[in-house]
């Protein structure tokens, strides 16, 4: 592998880390607890607005019922504000109720004992409810952060396990083949042995390149730098190009390609769709018995191009259907190896193109992956865009 490839890995790996850090900082800055001044201003405005509403309702409800409306405001404030602003809402609402609604009006003096007791009870309840609601919200936020950290740690361990396995296996094969080649180089007479050793080195290198490419593709998808660059493409040539890319990985399996002769040119990003198809072909090759073919077909209808890649492997277990496109998910059958990124990358490439990728089990066994892309088409004869 060229040094420039490793530099590219480091550069692409650093980009998502930067974006992740920026995203985390953005989340922190947008969190209510990190904008106290805005929250306190919002608390004052909320109490002022609620006071106006209560003033309009007083002729209908009486001043006693107004305390319940204010208490509801405190409860709602506790759901969106942090503890300090909530306590401010509780205090201001109590003072507003006393000053504007409890006789005598426009004073803080309370003439009746029952009003004083009601005010004291309201003040205590409002402060308590506001504090408890804010605490509950803080605990929910903490629980969410803990869950996020646990999920990040799980993904990190999964990535390390997968990468270490996928790197060690081809490196061991390359090392063993190279060592044997060096030992036999002086006396070797059999060209077949040379071919086998060279094949081992080539296969190991190809596997390493696939691991690196998958990691780079996933980093680009997550960082949002992939943008479709559409061009007019012949569908048959597009599919054949993807087949040629994965010819070695499908180990000589027959690929049956069916494309209608009348299918028009389509305006798509050739590279993105080619890469997505290559991932699906590699997946089909890993699960299809050597004696059975992989089937690819395409059709255009209703402004959409549909491309399917079908195999005759074991199919998709019901319990794996929902997780099939998750990062690092490889199911229970690990014989095919891989990081578990291929299908996730294919989905990301198709979605970046505005399309959908679905999977279903076939009658008679096997799975069918279907790409549906919204496309513009051009007539093959006139080369004019259809209306």
């Amino acid at each position: 592998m060229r040094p420039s490839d490793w530099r590219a890995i480091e550069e692409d790996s650093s980009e998502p880390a930067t974006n992740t850090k920026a995203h985390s900082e953005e989340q922190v800055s947008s969190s209510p607890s990190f904008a106290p001044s805005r929250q306190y201003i919002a608390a004052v405005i909320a109490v002022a607005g609620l006071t106006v509403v209560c003033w309009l309702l007083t002729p209908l409800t009486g001043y006693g019922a107004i305390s319940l409306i204010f208490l509801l405001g405190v409860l709602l404030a506790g759901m969106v504000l942090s503890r300090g602003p909530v306590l401010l809402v509780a205090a201001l609402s109590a003072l507003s109720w006393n000053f504007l609604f409890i006789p005598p009006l426009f004073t803080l003096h309370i003439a009746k004992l029952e009003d004083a007791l009601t005010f004291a009870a309201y003040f205590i309840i409002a402060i308590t409810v506001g504090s408890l609601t804010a605490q509950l919200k803080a605990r929910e936020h903490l629980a969410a952060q803990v869950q996020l950290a646990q999920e990040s740690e799980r993904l990190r361990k999964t990535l390390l396990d997968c990468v270490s396995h996928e790197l060690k296996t081809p490196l061991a094969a390359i090392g063993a083949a190279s060592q044997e080649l060096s030992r036999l180089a002086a006396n070797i007479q059999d060209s077949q042995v040379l071919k086998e050793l060279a094949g081992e080195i080539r296969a190991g290198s190809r596997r390493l390149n696939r691991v690196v490419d998958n990691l780079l593709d996933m980093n680009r998808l997550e960082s949002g730098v992939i943008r479709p660059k559409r061009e007019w493409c012949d569908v048959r040539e597009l599919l054949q190009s993807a087949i040629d890319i994965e010819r070695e990985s499908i180990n000589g399996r027959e690929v049956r390609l069916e494309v209608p002769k009348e299918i028009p040119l389509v305006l798509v990003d050739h590279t993105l769709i080619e890469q997505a198809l290559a991932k699906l072909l590699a997946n089909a090759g890993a699960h299809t018995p050597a004696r059975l073919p992989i089937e690819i077909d395409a059709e255009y209808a209703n402004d959409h191009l549909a491309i399917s890649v079908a195999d005759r492997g074991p199919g998709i277990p019901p319990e794996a259907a929902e997780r099939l496109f998750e990062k690092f998910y490889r199911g229970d059958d690990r014989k095919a190896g891989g990081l578990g990124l291929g299908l996730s990358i294919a989905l990301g490439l198709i979605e970046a193109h505005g399309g959908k990728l679905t999977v279903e089990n076939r009658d008679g066994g096997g799975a069918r992956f279907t790409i549906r892309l919204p496309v513009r088409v051009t007539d093959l004869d006139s080369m004019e865009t259809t209306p």
Side-chain angles (χ1 to χ4, degrees), residues 233-237 239 257-265 297-300 378-381:
C233 299
D234 181 276
V235 176
R236 180 179 293 274
E237 292 180 359
L239 301 183
L257 180 60
E258 294 185 9
V259 180
K261 292 182 180 180
E262 66 277 7
I263 196 167
L265 298 179
D297 59 72
E299 63 176 357
Y300 170 77
T378 297
D379 183 76
L380 283 173
D381 297 326

Side-chain angles (χ1 to χ4, degrees), residues 232-233 265 377-386:
W232 295 112
C233 299
L265 298 179
V377 299
T378 297
D379 183 76
L380 283 173
D381 297 326
S382 64
M383 292 296 290
E384 294 180 355
T385 304
T386 60

Side-chain angles (χ1 to χ4, degrees), residues 93-111:
S93 62
L95 293 175
S96 297
W97 184 47
N98 183 7
F99 188 78
L100 298 174
F101 299 96
I102 299 178
L105 301 182
F106 310 118
T107 69
L108 296 178
H109 175 68
I110 301 178

Side-chain angles (χ1 to χ4, degrees), residues 111-300:
K112 297 181 180 179
L113 178 60
E114 56 268 30
D115 289 341
L117 293 176
T118 302
F119 173 79
Y122 168 80
F123 187 81
I124 295 174
I125 293 173
I127 294 294
T128 303
V129 168
S131 179
L132 291 177
T133 305
Q135 289 180 16
L136 178 61
K137 181 186 174 184
R139 290 180 181 178
E140 291 178 350
H141 180 71
L142 178 60
Q145 294 297 319
V146 171
Q147 184 178 2
L148 179 62
Q150 291 175 345
E151 180 66 15
S152 299
E153 180 65 15
R154 184 187 69 82
L155 289 176
R156 186 187 69 83
K157 290 182 178 180
T158 302
L159 175 61
L160 289 177
D161 291 342
C162 292
V163 170
S164 62
H165 175 267
E166 288 302 310
L167 292 181
K168 286 180 179 178
T169 302
L171 284 174
I174 292 174
S178 301
Q179 184 177 1
E180 185 68 10
L181 187 62
S182 299
R183 188 177 69 85
L184 299 176
N187 302 317
I188 195 165
Q189 300 293 331
D190 191 351
S191 62
Q192 184 62 30
V193 175
L194 284 175
K195 291 181 180 179
E196 291 178 357
L197 293 175
E200 288 289 336
I201 294 174
R202 185 172 62 253
S205 300
R206 187 173 64 247
R207 188 169 177 179
L208 285 174
N209 282 327
R210 183 180 295 276
V211 171
V212 173
D213 289 342
N214 283 342
L215 290 174
L216 291 177
D217 288 340
M218 182 55 65
N219 281 339
R220 292 189 182 102
L221 284 171
E222 292 186 340
S223 61
V225 299
I226 292 182
R227 295 289 185 271
K229 297 179 180 178
R230 292 174 171 82
E231 57 184 328
W232 295 112
C233 299
D234 181 276
V235 176
R236 180 179 293 274
E237 292 180 359
L238 174 62
L239 301 183
Q240 188 61 54
S241 176
I243 294 172
D244 294 339
I245 289 176
E246 293 297 329
R247 183 66 69 181
E248 291 188 7
S249 67
I250 59 180
N251 296 322
R253 290 176 174 80
E254 179 187 359
V255 179
R256 295 178 181 174
L257 180 60
E258 294 185 9
V259 180
K261 292 182 180 180
E262 66 277 7
I263 196 167
L265 298 179
V266 294
L267 191 64
V268 297
D269 187 311
H270 184 282
T271 302
L272 289 189
I273 306 306
E274 180 186 68
Q275 289 179 357
L277 285 169
K279 304 297 182 186
L280 297 181
L281 278 169
N283 179 75
H287 296 91
T288 299
R291 66 184 185 279
L292 298 177
I294 299 172
E295 302 170 19
I296 304 178
D297 59 72
E299 63 176 357
Y300 170 77

Side-chain angles (χ1 to χ4, degrees), residues 1-12 212 216:
M1 187 176 297
R2 300 188 306 273
S4 59
D5 293 332
W6 289 110
R7 287 197 297 270
I9 298 172
E10 294 174 357
E11 292 171 359
D12 283 323
V212 173
L216 291 177

